[in-house]
Amino acid sequence: MSENGQREDPLIKPNGVDSDDDDTVCLGESFFINDNYELTTFTFGSHVLQLLCLQSASTDFDLTGQLVWPGARLLNEYLSNNAEILQGCSAIELGSGVGITGILCSKFCRAVMLTDHNDEVLKAWLQYVIFLHKHLNSVPLLFNTVQQLLCLRGKKQCRFILAYVSRSKMMDVMVTNEAIQHGLKIHEVDGTRCVIANLEGVIYEIIL
C-alpha cells in the first residue's frame, strides 16, 4: 500500500530503469495479495462452522494465514471429539489465521482469544470474521501474546495443544528437541496419529 492508502501497482520497476525496458521487473507486495475470500462451510463432528477464507495463498509476504491448513483440520477434529478438555477453560489460539480453531473453541471455552501478526490477515479479521462471529472481538499481536505466556512459567500451568503435520523427518525431530531444550514437557497423545491431506499428522500436548 502507498502512503496515501492506495494499493500499489504490482509491477514496480526499480529506480533508474527505463520504463521501456522489460528485462527487469520487480514484483510489489500487492502482486501476491488476494482478498477474494469465499464463504466456506466446515464440519467437525456435530459442529458446522462458516468462515471466509481462500483456497490457496502465497507463501511470499507470509500470507499463509488466509486459508485453512491440514493441521487446523486435524486439531479441530481432535477438539470436537474431546471437547471436555476445553470446558471451563480460557483458550488462546496462536497464529489464528482465518480463526477456524478459535471459532470452534468458542463453543466450549469460557473465553477465547485469537492472535496473529500479518496485516492482511488482521484486516480480514476486522472486515469478515468478526462480522460473522461477533462474540470474537480480540485479535492481539501473536508475538506479544507468546512473550506474555512465557512469563507465566512457574506461576500458572499453561497447556498447549499442537496439531503437527509432518513434512520432513528432520523437522519432526527439531520440533520435539526444541520443546525439550526450552524446558517444556511434550508428549504425543495416544491414538491421534492419522493421515490428513496425504501427510502424517499427530497431536502433541505441551506443558509450559
Side-chain angles (χ1 to χ4, degrees), residues 37 50-53 97-100 103 114 121-137 139:
Y37 294 94
Q50 282 193 317
L51 70 158
L52 288 144
C53 62
V98 293
I100 191 168
I103 292 169
L114 297 98
V121 174
L122 293 175
K123 183 177 73 174
W125 260 97
L126 294 174
Q127 292 180 347
Y128 301 122
V129 181
I130 293 175
F131 175 77
L132 289 172
H133 305 275
K134 295 181 174 60
H135 55 291
L136 299 173
N137 57 11
V139 192

Side-chain angles (χ1 to χ4, degrees), residues 148-159:
Q148 292 179 43
L149 287 174
L150 292 176
C151 291
L152 293 176
R153 181 175 298 184
K155 300 176 182 178
K156 295 183 179 180
Q157 188 178 72
C158 181
R159 178 172 60 169

Side-chain angles (χ1 to χ4, degrees), residues 41-51 68-83 85-86 93 95-96 98-108 114 133 161-165 194 196 202-203:
T41 300
F42 298 87
T43 302
F44 302 101
S46 61
H47 303 282
V48 178
L49 308 180
Q50 282 193 317
L51 70 158
V68 175
W69 287 86
R73 296 174 185 265
L74 172 60
L75 183 56
N76 277 28
E77 288 289 352
Y78 173 73
L79 293 176
S80 66
N81 292 326
N82 299 274
I85 67 177
L86 298 174
E93 184 182 8
S96 301
V98 293
I100 191 168
T101 298
I103 292 169
L104 178 67
C105 287
S106 69
K107 298 180 178 294
F108 314 119
L114 297 98
H133 305 275
I161 302 174
L162 170 66
Y164 179 74
V165 176
C194 63
I196 183 165
V202 64
I203 300 293

